[in-house]
Structure formats: structure tokens, C-alpha cells
Amino acid sequence: MKAHTHGFFIGSLVCFVAGAVLEGAALAQEFVGGNIPVVTAGGFQNAPSAAGNTLNGELMVVWHGHRDAGSTAFEILGRRIGPDAGLIGDPVSLSPAGSFTPDIAYNSIDNEYLVVYARGGIFGRRVAADGSPIGAEITIFADISQSS
């Protein structure tokens, strides 16, 4: 029996969409389609993470970077990719300046994402399916320096 799922590899903010085919215990990946440039802004753009929206057939990619080429502070940015592999809207800021190393998960019950990131502690932000931030930042762990 074969099951077909989608996995994603993100590198240098160019998205490669991979189809993962499961047969028994073996997992094979094949790349499908071409590269998708997620952001072409100047400045440093790094540490991408992605989650798939199963209800809308979209992908949300987040990364830390400089929103403007002249900026020196990282922030978490996000952008959606549609089912046709087209970019949806412009990158959206999802955190205060000084944030880095994001990760993202999709909640299919509420049709929203949770983005987590570091900034002297661990913080999070709920993000609507349309890519807009929901509510205020969530403190998950207030101060990394106090951990042992």
C-alpha cells in the first residue's frame, strides 16, 4: 500500500517541494517542480522553517532576517505559498526586533499557525491562515539565562 504525503526542504529561502512516498518502512523523496524564491530582499535572511496548511493547500514559510537592507536587528518574517506554488502577498513581520531561530506548526482544528522564536527567552505568536498575526506575543519561557 502506498501513501503519498508532502514534505518540504527549505534552503537559502528558496523552497524545494518534495513528494514523499511511503512504501512499507522505506521512505523515498523526489523533488517536484522548480525552486520557489520566498524572499529576494537584501540583507541577511536565514533559518527558514515551513508548515503546510492542509485545509487551504498552502504552505507558510517563516525565517529570521532583516526586513530592510539597512536594518541590523533580526525579526521573524513569514510568507505564504499557494497551492499553485505562487507567492501570496508580501513578507509579514511576526515578531519584535531582536528575534531569531523560528519554527512553525499548523493547527488544523483552528486553521491557524503557531510560530515560536528566541529573544532572550522563548516566545510565540499565533498566526491566522491568511498570514496575519493574531493577538499579542505569547511568553513561553521568560529568560533563557535562568535555565540550568
Side-chain angles (χ1 to χ4, degrees), residues 44-142:
F44 189 75
Q45 313 293 328
N46 198 13
S49 183
N53 178 326
T54 55
L55 296 178
N56 298 348
E58 297 177 355
L59 175 69
M60 177 86 169
V61 180
V62 295
W63 67 95
H64 72 240
H66 302 135
R67 188 166 179 83
D68 301 309
S71 176
T72 58
F74 287 129
E75 61 183 305
I76 306 306
L77 301 164
R79 192 167 199 184
R80 293 166 42 229
I81 300 174
D84 63 352
L87 298 175
I88 301 172
D90 292 321
V92 176
S93 178
L94 299 173
S95 75
S99 303
F100 54 96
T101 59
D103 205 352
I104 185 169
Y106 176 68
N107 172 350
S108 62
I109 294 170
D110 296 322
N111 193 25
E112 65 183 41
Y113 302 94
L114 176 64
V115 176
V116 294
Y117 46 89
R119 190 184 72 252
I122 306 297
F123 299 91
R125 188 77 182 261
R126 291 173 51 223
V127 178
D130 69 2
S132 61
I134 300 172
E137 178 179 71
I138 302 163
T139 301
I140 296 169
F141 188 76

